[in-house]
Amino acid sequence: MRRQVSRFVRLSAIAALIAVSAQAAERTYGPVRPHQDLLEIARALRPEQTRLCTYQTLAALYRANPAAFNGSAQHLKIGSVLRIPSAREIRAVPAAEAYAVFRGAPVSPAPANKAAVQRSPLPAKAGTAPAAPAAAMHDAPAAPAAVPVRSAGVDLRRRPGDMPPAPPSADTQPLPDPNRVSRLAPVAAPEAWNQWQLAPVPDRWRLLNTLGLVPQHWYDPYNQNTYKADKPIRHGDEFVNLSVISDSIYEYRRLPTPVGGQGSNKPGQNSIFGDPRQTLFSTNLILSAVYIKGDTTFKPPEYEFHLTPVLNYNYATAEEAGVLNVDPRKGRYRSDQFIGLQEAFVDYHLRNVSDRYDFDSVRFGIQPFSTDFRGFLFQDNQLALRFFGNRDNNRWQYNLAWIRRLEKNTNSGLNDVTVKPRNDDIYLFNLYRQDFPFRAFTSQFIVVHNRNHENGEQFYDDNGFLQRPAAIGTETPRRYHVTYLGYNGDGHIGRLNLTMSTYLVAGNQDRGVFSDRVKRIRGLFAAAEASYDVDWLRLRLSGVYGSGDHDPRNGTATGFDAIFENPIIAGADTNFWTRQAIPLIGGGGVTLSPGNGELADLRSSKDFGQSNFENPGIIIAGLGADADLMPQLRLSGNFNHLWFDSSRVLEFARNQGGISNNIGWDFSTAAIYRPFFTQNIVFRLSGAMLIPGSGYRALFPGNCDYSVLGNLVLTY
């Protein structure tokens, strides 16, 4: 009996073991639902949470269920019931076969037995890179791609020695599980896209063009353009920037016009004042070429070459003979053309002084320079040697320069390099500090020394007018040395924008304008403009003060004069006083104020004349507003009142008493239109009128003076 019981127990155990083995062998998954793919099922059934095990499970399922697929692992039949291989069978799948099946290699499915699972996979077709399953791309790493075949004449980019890597050892390590509490399987981190290594492009700058994403045309400055320094021309760090600007103006004006010295073209006229009407058309074609060496994305360039020639044509008319040319036989019309050189310099990067690319550089040649933010003292393109750089993440900036002034062409105002430079030197040092004395405000301290030794001979311009010395007083050339000490600031305090400037000038000259005695020079200048933005409207308040000479007969000249001003304040060249060169009647060759200048300095001209520190000075108080009516349309208006600081010099020069300091009111308005919302096409139409005060009427009896200006700027 005992033997029978023992035999029964053994048979039962064997039967149970056979049943369990059969049940394990027949473990299934399914039916497969729509939108499920093999990778998703493999992730759910993998015995280990690693990438490699996921691909081994996928390959084992593919091998074990040949009838559930339409030819490849990417085409799983909906409704199929899959036999689940054992963990031992899954781990036995070679890594290479697992990757091949995952990548879609044409591996023929076979019955899921041990021999079949351990077989080597069929290789991918030479010269092709099998595509990964579309639904698996969000979880799949960039598996090793097949080595591409090199076609004749095609050099696919690959780093030297770069072969298809073996499955990384990290694939066999367990993935971190950030969702242990929820028991969710972690999502595999995406791998970096490295197919750029195979892209046949010469450098990174032209990748977008090679992929066809950004087309390039030489005439298109808005998209990537090799000729606009968007891409290097060679070696990956050499760039060229070409620009073309057309700047044209037409102006009709009415201002005091003296009768020519030899007589009027109108018989019977005996007044010293003639017909005040004048017109001017002038156009500049500015051609600029810049060559840059160095990757300027994060650091200054190694060196630069700049070349900017300007072609000018101008045509002027006047109603009085002898106004446009000293010879009245030349008539009342004048046309002229000239080619000037406004930029021709080399910029060399000396060194970097910090890991933030603070630097020191040197620049030599004809170059633009401004001594301050608004061009009050000197702003021009002149021959210069300049050292400049920055420190402390660009918080400190400096300039150390020597400037030798070039002669100008008479009718265009461009540099004339065909004649000898002037004996007029400028030495300067300035220092900028950002966020001083408070944040968002930049302060500048400057020292400028002007050495002028043009006391040797007279100089006449191309129209025959005497320019040096000025035809006023003793008409004697002078030599002077003056030093300017200045402070300039620009920035904002909250919503209040503020620009300010002040200069003290001191020096001496070998003789005065009205006497031959040596004179000391002492002068003061101050200017400020505050503006406040209210939505689309900017309100402006401006003030300018330039000291005048209160006694032209003593030994000190207390008038302030600049070297070469181009001021941007109180409406700039929109207003009448700043734009027009108003002639001082009683000589004709001296202007009350220069063109594009605001100082009443009694010079022959700003381009040719010497600084004159025996002048009446100027005081300007103004209100203005800029209204952005549309993104492409701005309307500006200015209301300025002007006074002389002292009219004693005018009374002495004109031998005329009772000249008031009141110059009058200057009203101006301008409309600026940009049809394409950019600076490529800008049209400006402005008008200005000077309503004379008692001082201006004493000098120029007559009606109100005015001007109308049209300006078109086209930029490529």
Side-chain angles (χ1 to χ4, degrees):
M1 183 68 178
R2 182 181 299 172
R3 183 179 299 174
Q4 292 176 348
V5 172
S6 177
R7 182 180 179 184
F8 176 76
V9 171
R10 286 196 301 271
L11 293 173
S12 299
I14 292 172
L17 181 61
I18 293 173
V20 171
S21 300
Q23 182 179 3
E26 295 176 358
R27 216 160 51 110
T28 61
Y29 178 92
V32 176
R33 300 186 303 273
H35 308 298
Q36 277 189 306
D37 57 66
L38 188 59
L39 182 62
E40 178 184 348
I41 297 171
R43 279 201 299 266
L45 301 178
R46 60 188 175 182
E48 297 177 2
Q49 293 188 359
T50 66
R51 292 189 181 92
L52 178 58
C53 187
T54 302
Y55 306 144
Q56 288 175 318
T57 304
L58 185 146
L61 286 169
Y62 179 60
R63 287 284 189 179
N65 302 275
F69 299 90
N70 289 325
S72 68
Q74 288 82 15
H75 300 86
L76 179 61
K77 296 179 180 178
I78 299 174
S80 300
V81 177
L82 305 179
R83 186 181 72 81
I84 303 175
S86 66
R88 184 176 180 181
E89 291 176 333
I90 292 174
R91 294 189 183 96
V93 176
E97 177 181 341
Y99 275 112
V101 175
F102 164 73
R103 291 165 50 213
V107 179
S108 300
N113 53 53
K114 183 174 182 179
V117 170
Q118 293 178 347
R119 268 202 317 251
S120 297
L122 294 176
K125 185 177 179 180
T128 62
M137 291 305 293
H138 66 279
D139 183 67
V147 180
V149 176
R150 293 182 180 272
S151 307
V154 179
D155 183 16
L156 299 180
R157 289 174 55 83
R158 184 184 295 282
R159 291 176 295 184
D162 187 15
M163 299 299 291
S169 59
D171 287 344
T172 62
Q173 301 299 321
L175 295 173
D177 186 2
N179 303 295
R180 292 178 181 176
V181 178
S182 62
R183 302 296 181 186
L184 297 175
V187 177
E191 304 252 346
W193 181 73
N194 60 2
Q195 297 303 313
W196 63 270
Q197 302 176 34
L198 306 178
V201 295
D203 55 56
R204 64 185 177 91
W205 304 92
R206 291 168 172 79
L207 180 60
L208 295 178
N209 296 136
T210 303
L211 298 177
L213 300 178
V214 179
Q216 174 178 329
H217 303 287
W218 66 267
Y219 53 82
D220 182 5
Y222 295 101
N223 295 302
Q224 275 200 331
N225 193 319
T226 303
Y227 305 110
K228 302 298 289 184
D230 294 327
K231 292 182 291 186
I233 56 172
R234 64 173 187 169
H235 298 164
D237 63 350
E238 297 181 47
F239 301 82
V240 168
N241 189 1
L242 304 178
S243 300
V244 180
I245 301 175
S246 173
D247 188 351
S248 303
I249 64 168
Y250 176 81
E251 182 176 14
Y252 177 82
R253 60 197 180 198
R254 183 187 187 280
L255 71 162
T257 304
V259 174
Q262 294 85 353
S264 172
N265 58 302
K266 297 181 179 179
Q269 181 169 308
N270 57 8
S271 174
I272 62 173
F273 300 101
D275 194 316
R277 294 174 296 171
Q278 299 178 16
T279 62
L280 172 67
F281 172 77
S282 179
T283 181
N284 288 317
L285 183 63
I286 306 170
L287 309 175
S288 177
V290 181
Y291 171 83
I292 304 172
K293 174 68 167 64
D295 188 346
T296 61
T297 304
F298 304 106
K299 61 181 182 179
E302 298 175 23
Y303 52 84
E304 303 177 44
F305 294 99
H306 289 240
L307 184 66
T308 305
V310 179
L311 289 70
N312 173 268
Y313 172 78
N314 59 84
Y315 180 80
T317 68
E319 297 301 316
E320 290 292 335
V323 172
L324 302 177
N325 195 287
V326 71
D327 186 352
R329 295 174 299 176
K330 296 293 182 68
R332 298 180 291 113
Y333 308 94
R334 183 190 66 210
S335 64
D336 193 15
Q337 55 276 332
F338 185 76
I339 300 178
L341 191 60
Q342 297 304 100
E343 284 186 348
F345 68 85
V346 57
D347 186 317
Y348 182 73
H349 184 72
L350 296 175
R351 61 173 182 165
N352 295 319
V353 296
S354 74
D355 56 359
R356 299 294 183 91
Y357 293 109
D358 292 324
F359 68 93
D360 293 314
S361 289
V362 60
R363 179 179 293 181
F364 177 73
I366 303 174
Q367 55 188 281
F369 190 82
S370 180
T371 54
D372 48 68
F373 299 107
R374 296 295 185 97
F376 293 125
L377 181 61
F378 176 86
Q379 186 182 63
D380 198 12
N381 292 47
Q382 290 290 350
L383 179 65
L385 175 63
R386 173 186 168 208
F387 293 89
F388 62 99
N390 60 359
R391 294 294 187 275
D392 192 19
N393 293 337
N394 203 37
R395 291 186 178 93
W396 293 95
Q397 302 162 26
Y398 75 90
N399 288 278
L400 179 64
W402 163 73
I403 300 173
R404 169 59 65 95
R405 295 183 64 185
L406 301 173
E407 293 286 7
K408 300 285 187 178
N409 175 255
T410 303
N411 298 321
S412 67
L414 301 175
N415 291 331
D416 189 351
V417 297
T418 64
V419 298
K420 182 181 177 181
R422 298 178 58 173
N423 196 0
D424 191 4
D425 295 302
I426 303 166
Y427 307 91
L428 65 90
F429 173 76
N430 62 23
L431 186 66
Y432 294 83
R433 172 62 182 178
Q434 295 188 22
D435 297 327
F436 179 81
F438 40 81
R439 294 179 64 87
F441 193 85
T442 299
S443 291
Q444 184 228 54
F445 303 90
I446 186 170
V447 179
V448 181
H449 181 75
N450 184 204
R451 167 193 171 277
N452 187 288
H453 283 194
E454 296 177 311
N455 60 331
E457 59 184 13
Q458 296 179 332
F459 178 84
Y460 292 84
D461 64 19
D462 294 340
N463 297 324
F465 293 104
L466 178 65
Q467 295 290 343
R468 293 194 299 270
I472 188 174
T474 62
E475 298 189 23
T476 305
R478 293 173 293 115
R479 179 178 63 186
Y480 54 85
H481 290 220
V482 293
T483 300
Y484 298 84
L485 299 177
Y487 168 79
N488 301 281
D490 185 76
H492 65 89
I493 307 172
R495 297 180 64 182
L496 179 66
N497 308 299
L498 180 63
T499 293
M500 57 188 304
S501 181
T502 181
Y503 286 101
L504 293 173
V505 58
N508 58 78
Q509 55 188 3
D510 63 346
R511 58 175 51 87
V513 175
F514 300 100
S515 67
D516 286 334
R517 62 186 300 184
V518 176
K519 281 205 170 188
R520 295 179 302 169
I521 297 172
R522 303 289 187 269
L524 174 65
F525 174 84
E529 182 171 271
S531 63
Y532 190 82
D533 296 326
V534 183
D535 198 5
W536 50 271
L537 184 66
R538 168 170 289 189
L539 304 175
R540 290 182 282 104
L541 177 64
S542 307
V544 178
Y545 171 76
S547 63
D549 192 355
H550 294 264
D551 188 357
R553 292 170 293 187
N554 64 10
T556 302
T558 58
F560 180 88
D561 198 7
I563 302 173
F564 192 91
E565 60 170 331
N566 272 301
I568 305 175
I569 195 171
D573 65 346
T574 297
N575 68 61
F576 184 88
W577 178 265
T578 300
R579 174 149 187 91
Q580 305 303 328
I582 303 175
L584 179 64
I585 309 303
V590 175
T591 60
L592 185 61
S593 64
N596 292 327
E598 62 194 2
L599 299 174
D601 50 12
L602 308 186
R603 294 168 72 161
S604 56
S605 69
K606 185 177 70 173
D607 292 339
F608 300 102
Q610 294 178 296
S611 297
N612 178 17
F613 302 94
E614 298 176 58
N615 62 63
I618 190 69
I619 300 174
I620 302 175
L623 292 174
D626 301 322
D628 292 325
L629 304 181
M630 294 186 295
Q632 66 270 42
L633 179 61
R634 170 176 292 179
L635 185 65
S636 297
N638 298 278
F639 305 90
N640 302 324
H641 193 75
L642 302 93
W643 301 266
F644 297 119
D645 181 47
S646 173
S647 61
R648 296 289 298 277
V649 172
L650 294 174
E651 294 176 347
F652 192 80
R654 290 283 297 268
N655 194 23
Q656 176 183 347
I659 300 178
S660 169
N661 290 337
N662 185 11
I663 299 174
W665 286 93
D666 190 330
F667 298 91
S668 62
T669 184
I672 303 173
Y673 180 62
R674 305 179 305 157
F676 299 116
F677 304 91
T678 67
Q679 299 300 113
N680 294 86
I681 300 179
V682 180
F683 178 71
R684 179 176 62 149
L685 179 63
S686 64
M689 175 179 291
L690 179 65
I691 300 178
S694 56
Y696 191 86
R697 288 187 182 276
L699 294 172
F700 315 113
N703 299 320
C704 300
D705 295 323
Y706 60 87
S707 66
V708 178
L709 173 71
N711 180 208
L712 176 63
V713 179
L714 307 175
T715 303
Y716 166 75

